[in-house]
Amino acid sequence: MNVVPVVDQIIERNGGKVSEVYYVACGGSLVDMYVSDFFVRTESTGVTSGWYTANEFVHATPKRLSPTSVVVLCSHSGNTPETVAAAALAREAGAQTVGLTYNKEAKLLDESDYSFVYEWGDETRVHNNPMAIMLDLTVNLIDKLEGYPHIEAFRKGMAIIDTVVANAEKQVEPRTKEFASKYQDETMFYVLASGASYGHAYGFSICSLMEMQWLDAAPIHSGEFFHGPFEVTDEDTPFIVAKGLGRTRALDDRVLEFLGKYAKKVEVVDAKELGLDLIDDAVNEYFNPILFYSVLSKYRYALSVVRDHDLDVRRYMGKVAY
């Protein structure tokens, strides 16, 4: 999808003034936003950002929300009540709203100044999935506002990410089956990552393992591992480490060095090994989560098969009042 026209309209509306970008959603949609928030926090000199679960955004609205704010919202169904309410609140404050959904009839679209109805189900076109669209929008927005020196490298990366992901999925297929067979009886997993990838440690824990497999799981930032969590390490505890490329790779390496000494159940998903280094070093860290989402989806599917627990089975979601 071409995000540039939307970026141009956002900037034109306030005479080139954007003070902050808020990323607002729930569950997996919120996870998809983490890398965009991370990009703004680490690359922008003039724009701030916030990453909010939608109901908190509604109940504890940031006081900085104003007509110079951009609020990006995502809901797969487009009808998540908390996200629709957050979009309405943002518009009432005069902020510009960007809505993403898979549903052309979504209520979210009614509260969005700009919208993207994204593709879903075609695993070979990840650049048109919501995470990639939001990241593309964010990078181009920051580039237009203040200049991003690696914009061409980023665009080249976006042009080949589908190929990188497709190759990585084929590469991990046998490994995912081995993982599922080995860990099918485990009931608790710790998932570690850092930098732009941390959002997917969180996402794989709460969505893939807790929601879709009813397993206990906890995401841990690699940088925080040695400040409490590492005390649970033993030979019987399973760890999954998403080892990314980029500036925080050293944090993941430090974790793996420790686990190599004291743990026996460690699954490493390494972005470099899976071919992400085909993308320029200046920007490849921002593509880590796009790769990890697709690859870890293969892991969760393999686990669901050996556990005979379909990924779509729910006890409460959409079944009871909450």
Side-chain angles (χ1 to χ4, degrees):
M1 292 186 181
N2 186 5
V3 301
V4 174
V6 171
V7 169
D8 289 341
Q9 291 177 63
I10 289 172
I11 294 173
E12 182 181 355
R13 178 165 147 180
N14 285 314
K17 176 64 175 176
V18 174
S19 53
E20 55 271 321
V21 184
Y22 294 109
Y23 299 93
V24 182
C26 301
S29 294
L30 182 63
V31 169
D32 285 347
M33 296 175 154
Y34 187 87
V35 60
S36 295
D37 174 65
F38 182 84
F39 178 88
V40 177
R41 286 189 282 113
T42 57
E43 297 289 356
S44 177
T45 59
V47 180
T48 61
S49 68
W51 185 67
Y52 279 85
T53 187
N55 218 15
E56 183 170 297
F57 187 82
V58 171
H59 285 84
T61 308
K63 291 189 181 297
R64 289 176 60 95
L65 183 66
S66 74
T68 59
S69 304
V70 175
V71 182
V72 182
L73 308 107
C74 184
S75 165
H76 188 64
S77 71
N79 297 317
T80 306
E82 299 93 333
T83 306
V84 174
L89 183 150
R91 292 189 86 187
E92 288 173 9
Q96 299 188 69
T97 55
V98 182
L100 294 95
T101 180
Y102 174 63
N103 178 10
K104 295 179 181 179
E105 307 299 325
K107 294 178 182 178
L108 179 61
L109 299 179
D110 296 332
E111 301 293 348
S112 301
D113 296 311
Y114 318 99
S115 60
F116 295 93
V117 178
Y118 54 76
E119 298 178 4
W120 197 254
D122 184 351
E123 297 179 356
T124 66
R125 293 172 59 85
V126 293
H127 72 280
N128 279 339
N129 282 352
M131 179 169 34
I133 294 171
M134 288 185 282
L135 178 60
D136 198 14
L137 177 82
T138 298
V139 174
N140 277 279
L141 179 64
I142 297 304
D143 179 57
K144 291 270 187 174
L145 288 169
E146 57 193 59
Y148 177 51
H150 306 300
I151 186 65
E152 291 306 320
F154 174 80
R155 288 171 177 161
K156 289 178 181 177
M158 193 64 75
I160 68 168
I161 188 60
D162 284 353
T163 300
V164 172
V165 167
N167 290 339
E169 287 180 336
K170 292 177 184 177
Q171 186 175 336
V172 300
E173 195 74 36
R175 191 186 310 170
T176 62
K177 294 176 181 178
E178 293 172 10
F179 168 86
S181 177
K182 182 177 180 180
Y183 294 110
Q184 61 182 304
D185 296 323
E186 299 290 346
T187 58
M188 175 71 198
F189 291 87
Y190 292 102
V191 187
L192 292 97
S194 65
S197 306
Y198 175 68
H200 268 73
Y202 173 72
F204 190 70
S205 297
I206 72 162
C207 295
S208 296
L209 296 178
M210 298 177 75
E211 175 189 340
M212 297 181 182
Q213 288 298 291
W214 304 352
L215 292 169
D216 291 325
I220 303 170
H221 194 290
S222 297
E224 284 293 284
F225 183 65
F226 297 102
H227 302 279
F230 72 145
E231 287 294 339
V232 304
T233 304
D234 58 31
E235 295 185 355
D236 298 316
T237 302
F239 295 88
I240 301 171
V241 181
K243 184 178 180 181
L245 283 172
R247 292 167 290 181
T248 67
R249 186 174 173 87
L251 281 66
D252 303 328
D253 280 331
R254 184 185 177 198
V255 166
L256 288 170
E257 183 178 357
F258 180 87
L259 293 178
K261 296 176 181 177
Y262 302 107
K264 295 295 184 183
K265 298 178 178 179
V266 182
E267 181 72 13
V268 182
V269 184
D270 187 343
K272 183 176 182 179
E273 179 189 348
L274 295 176
L276 197 66
D277 56 349
L278 290 173
I279 296 176
D280 195 299
D281 288 347
V283 297
N284 57 23
E285 66 184 303
Y286 299 115
F287 291 89
N288 282 324
I290 298 175
L291 173 69
F292 286 145
Y293 172 79
S294 295
V295 168
L296 289 173
S297 292
K298 295 295 184 183
Y299 274 85
R300 78 183 179 198
Y301 175 74
L303 197 59
S304 75
V305 171
V306 299
R307 298 183 71 245
D308 193 25
H309 186 119
D310 192 278
L311 293 170
D312 294 325
V313 173
R314 301 292 184 271
R315 279 186 289 207
Y316 308 111
M317 186 174 288
K319 295 182 178 295
V320 302
Y322 51 88

